[in-house]
Amino acid sequence: MAPRKRRMDRLLRVENLKTHFSARGGIVRAVDGVTFSVAHGEVFGLVGESGCGKSITLRSILRLVPPPGRIVDGHIFYQDEDILTLPESELRSYRGAQVAMIFQDPGTALNPVLRVGYQIYETLREHHGLAKQETRDRAVELLSLVGMPAPELRLAQYPHELSGGMRQRAMIAIALACNPKLLLADEPTTALDVTLQDQVLRLITDLQEQLGMSVIWVTHDFGVIAMICKRAGVMYAGKLLEIAEIGELLAEPRHPYTVALLESIPKYQGRGQTLMSIPGSPPDMRYPPSGCSFHPRCQFAIEECRRSDTPLREVSPGHFSSCMRVGEIWK
């Protein structure tokens, strides 16, 4: 379970969240009992291989799980109100105004047949009811805030007329339109080149500090996590296997999967370097393995790992691991 803090310190609490998809041959357990919390003003990371459930966790927080998926169990408390109990009519003031999301690919998230300005105006009108000129002025202000060159010109352009970096900045502007308290960032630098990735990372970091937002940042890149996050959770096969302060997570990981991920990061040591990899493949989530989901790929697995699944438990102050052998392997 995630660290217990004073109730007032936690902006978001996710408890035993389960989001499943109906599929041919069985039920896909995309998110399978995830628990964590995010404090006011905190940047929390979710890291893991593709397909481990990170993005669906974010969509679940917004109650935007695409069909045939549905949230089947758990709680999502935002400022101590369980949003899973809210009627659809009340979710409109929650999405965008309180919690906003930057999607992975702005090329598909932006509507290609609507001008950029209209897509920003739509959000402002929905939540603030501003007059026409006020809406335009605020849109220009938002585009300037995210470093968009010639912001007034961009309002009249369509997404295909913008570069990849500009489209991402437009997406960030839309997400920030209503000054949300929590920003969900779903690998927003994945489709960008290295230079633009660095620019977007720095931009969101600066905005987070300037506006005091909480952020959940989803990525498969430990370098990004190390740069911007205070704490992070490591996901695998729909479960959180480890949560810790980022410095401790990188220096003293306490789950074999986290160790394996860190060892597989390329390190420059001259010619002849052997690149480490994790044996096997992630499981088919229609037929998850018994016991610990990582045991088929784990070098430390014993028979008990195949029979029993261990929930997250605190192994040192603020550091949580689900490995049942954590006391034997790391003494």
Side-chain angles (χ1 to χ4, degrees):
M1 181 175 286
R4 288 290 181 187
K5 298 183 178 182
R6 288 183 305 155
R7 195 175 182 85
M8 63 190 301
D9 289 339
R10 293 178 293 178
L11 178 66
L12 180 80
R13 290 181 293 131
V14 177
E15 297 182 354
N16 194 37
L17 176 65
K18 296 182 180 181
T19 304
H20 296 173
F21 287 77
S22 300
R24 182 176 298 178
I27 300 296
V28 176
R29 296 167 176 82
V31 179
D32 195 19
V34 164
T35 296
F36 66 92
S37 64
V38 181
H40 289 272
E42 179 183 19
V43 182
F44 181 81
L46 284 176
V47 62
E49 294 172 275
S50 296
C52 70
K54 306 184 301 294
S55 296
I56 295 300
T57 298
L58 293 193
R59 285 182 171 272
S60 297
I61 291 170
L62 278 177
R63 277 179 58 181
L64 286 177
V65 179
R70 63 189 185 94
I71 299 170
V72 299
D73 198 6
H75 302 278
I76 300 173
F77 292 101
Y78 176 78
Q79 294 185 328
D80 293 327
E81 182 172 33
D82 190 349
I83 66 104
L84 297 185
T85 66
L86 294 180
E88 190 66 30
S89 59
E90 293 184 32
L91 283 175
R92 297 178 71 88
S93 61
Y94 168 75
R95 299 188 188 117
Q98 298 294 324
V99 181
M101 185 165 176
I102 304 172
F103 293 91
Q104 186 174 106
D105 182 6
T108 57
L110 292 171
N111 191 320
V113 300
L114 296 178
R115 298 179 193 273
V116 170
Y118 181 88
Q119 297 186 59
I120 302 175
Y121 303 157
E122 190 176 34
T123 301
L124 291 170
R125 284 194 291 259
E126 172 68 27
H127 295 288
H128 291 304
L130 300 178
K132 185 175 181 179
Q133 187 58 48
E134 290 178 313
T135 302
R136 179 181 171 80
D137 291 344
R138 176 58 176 159
V140 172
E141 181 185 342
L142 285 165
L143 290 179
S144 299
L145 182 67
V146 300
M148 180 77 83
E152 292 190 2
L153 172 64
R154 308 307 170 196
L155 292 177
Q157 292 183 316
Y158 292 94
H160 74 269
E161 298 179 276
L162 306 182
S163 67
M166 288 181 181
R167 285 195 293 267
Q168 194 60 276
R169 289 174 190 272
M171 276 292 303
I172 296 169
I174 294 170
L176 297 180
C178 298
N179 298 317
K181 292 183 174 64
L182 175 62
L183 182 65
L184 309 178
D186 186 10
E187 300 199 59
T189 61
T190 296
L192 306 178
D193 63 41
V194 175
T195 301
L196 289 175
Q197 285 182 19
D198 183 65
Q199 291 177 7
V200 171
L201 278 172
R202 294 182 186 279
L203 170 63
I204 295 179
T205 299
D206 291 344
L207 291 172
Q208 185 274 328
E209 294 175 354
Q210 180 181 340
L211 302 175
M213 297 180 298
S214 299
V215 178
I216 302 178
W217 191 287
V218 157
T219 183
H220 60 272
D221 189 337
F222 267 107
V224 170
I225 290 291
M227 182 185 300
I228 67 171
C229 295
K230 178 183 178 182
R231 290 187 307 130
V234 180
M235 283 195 76
Y236 181 79
K239 298 177 182 293
L240 270 171
L241 302 186
E242 186 168 8
I243 299 176
E245 297 276 345
I246 191 62
E248 187 169 344
L249 186 70
L250 297 177
E252 300 180 20
R254 289 295 182 267
H255 194 283
Y257 178 59
T258 310
V259 173
L261 280 180
L262 291 171
E263 288 180 345
S264 66
I265 298 174
K267 304 174 182 64
Y268 181 73
Q269 298 174 338
R271 293 181 180 274
Q273 175 189 359
T274 300
L275 182 63
M276 303 298 292
S277 63
I278 305 174
S281 302
D284 182 340
M285 292 310 295
R286 292 174 300 175
Y287 315 106
S290 61
C292 172
S293 57
F294 187 60
H295 86 255
R297 307 173 72 187
C298 181
Q299 62 176 317
F300 301 108
I302 58 176
E303 186 58 34
E304 185 61 25
C305 300
R306 296 170 175 83
R307 291 198 300 262
S308 303
D309 188 17
T310 303
L312 281 172
R313 53 199 174 112
E314 194 167 25
V315 296
S316 64
H319 195 149
F320 296 76
S321 172
S322 66
C323 179
M324 68 175 60
R325 300 194 65 199
V326 64
E328 304 171 46
I329 301 170
W330 296 280
K331 295 183 179 179

